[in-house]
Amino acid sequence: MTSTAVSATPGADEPAASKPVDPRRRAVDALMRLAAIRPWDAIELPDIASEAGLTLAELRGLFPSKLAMLGGITRIVDDAVLAESTGELAAEPIRERLFDLVMRRLDAMEPYKAGLRRIAPAIRRDPLALAALNKGAVNSWRYMLASAGIPTEDSLGHLRVQGAVLLMARVSEVWLDDDEPELSRTMARLDSELKTAGRIMARVEDVHRLTAPLRGIARALCSGRPLKARRRERAASGEENDDYAPAI
């Protein structure tokens, strides 16, 4: 009985390092190895497939484009950060929770730093690529903020998420050129950006509170409730039938 169970799971006793790497991860890693030594525009799809040990058909089944592979880094980083989320900072101020999130993301991005450093200038010149990557980043940070207990689904949630995306982008610009082990320049930029973001969100929340009555009136006008109320008043006063009197 025992021997049968063991033989049914070959390789169960092999070290974890010998397990095959997920092909999507292989493709992303291959792209980033090439990006570290070649210009972004000089990397062709067959090059990536060959570097990853995949056929071109297999690569097509994994990713529709080179840009999608670049976006795959976001998913890899998300998985790493979410796997480490413990809720230990739940009682800390939002600023501290955001600081922790950004630094953990940068740690997870470290293996790809050389490639990202060379890719960044080319991507910044391509508005369509930036828009596509921003969409992925928004989805990513929705989960990041949720993992830190920061609301994302209320009326200001989309602003918090997009603000976090912009903050991460601005900090990453410094991180890409910061080779100090302590990342002192990166942390200084992060601290500055968090202070600015805090001031902006405080003003936005103040305006949101102050304009709450106006938004209520606007919703009432759009829903047609004033018209219905007027009709009820006219019906009560016997004027309702005047609306349907034939023209003479």
Side-chain angles (χ1 to χ4, degrees):
M1 294 290 292
T2 305
S3 60
T4 302
V6 171
S7 62
T9 55
D13 296 330
E14 295 179 7
S18 65
K19 294 181 180 179
V21 178
D22 172 54
R24 292 177 65 87
R25 179 69 175 263
R26 284 163 54 193
V28 171
D29 289 349
L31 170 63
M32 298 312 295
R33 286 195 298 271
L34 292 172
I37 58 175
R38 295 189 198 176
W40 173 251
D41 294 339
I43 303 172
E44 298 291 343
L45 293 172
D47 301 331
I48 302 169
S50 176
E51 179 71 18
L54 300 167
T55 66
L56 198 57
E58 289 171 333
L59 184 63
R60 176 63 182 88
L62 299 171
F63 292 103
S65 67
K66 190 169 66 172
L67 189 63
M69 290 176 229
L70 180 60
I73 296 176
T74 299
R75 181 60 181 269
I76 291 171
V77 173
D78 286 352
D79 291 345
V81 174
L82 292 174
E84 296 175 356
S85 298
T86 61
E88 292 181 356
L89 299 177
E92 296 294 327
I94 289 179
R95 182 179 177 281
E96 297 303 320
R97 283 178 269 167
L98 284 173
F99 190 99
D100 179 70
L101 278 175
V102 172
M103 293 308 298
R104 284 196 286 140
R105 286 191 72 81
L106 293 178
D107 285 344
M109 289 164 57
E110 183 65 33
Y112 304 112
K113 190 172 186 176
L116 290 171
R117 180 181 291 160
R118 291 175 61 93
I119 291 171
I123 296 298
R124 291 187 191 121
R125 295 192 297 268
D126 187 343
L128 294 179
L130 284 174
L133 291 175
N134 181 75
K135 183 177 180 180
V138 165
N139 292 332
S140 167
W141 272 95
R142 188 175 291 112
Y143 276 88
M144 293 297 101
L145 296 184
S147 73
I150 300 173
T152 62
E153 302 298 329
D154 61 4
S155 56
L156 294 179
H158 66 289
L159 290 178
R160 295 190 190 97
V161 174
Q162 187 63 70
V165 171
L166 294 175
L167 182 148
M168 185 72 195
R170 291 174 65 84
V171 173
S172 295
E173 290 177 357
V174 176
W175 172 75
L176 287 173
D177 294 321
D178 188 357
D179 293 323
E180 299 175 6
E182 301 82 7
L183 295 178
S184 56
R185 289 196 297 122
T186 300
M187 288 193 286
R189 179 62 173 269
L190 175 55
D191 186 65
S192 174
E193 292 294 333
L194 285 171
K195 289 178 180 176
T196 300
R199 289 194 296 268
I200 292 173
M201 280 307 300
R203 292 171 187 165
V204 168
E205 289 171 356
D206 287 343
V207 171
H208 190 261
R209 284 191 296 270
L210 291 171
T211 57
L214 296 177
R215 292 197 306 275
I217 293 172
R219 284 194 296 268
L221 290 171
C222 292
S223 67
R225 283 199 295 271
L227 178 59
K228 293 178 181 178
R230 174 61 179 159
R231 284 181 175 174
R232 285 196 297 269
E233 292 170 1
R234 294 176 67 183
S237 64
E239 298 175 2
E240 183 68 23
N241 291 334
D242 291 346
D243 289 343
Y244 304 97
I248 297 176

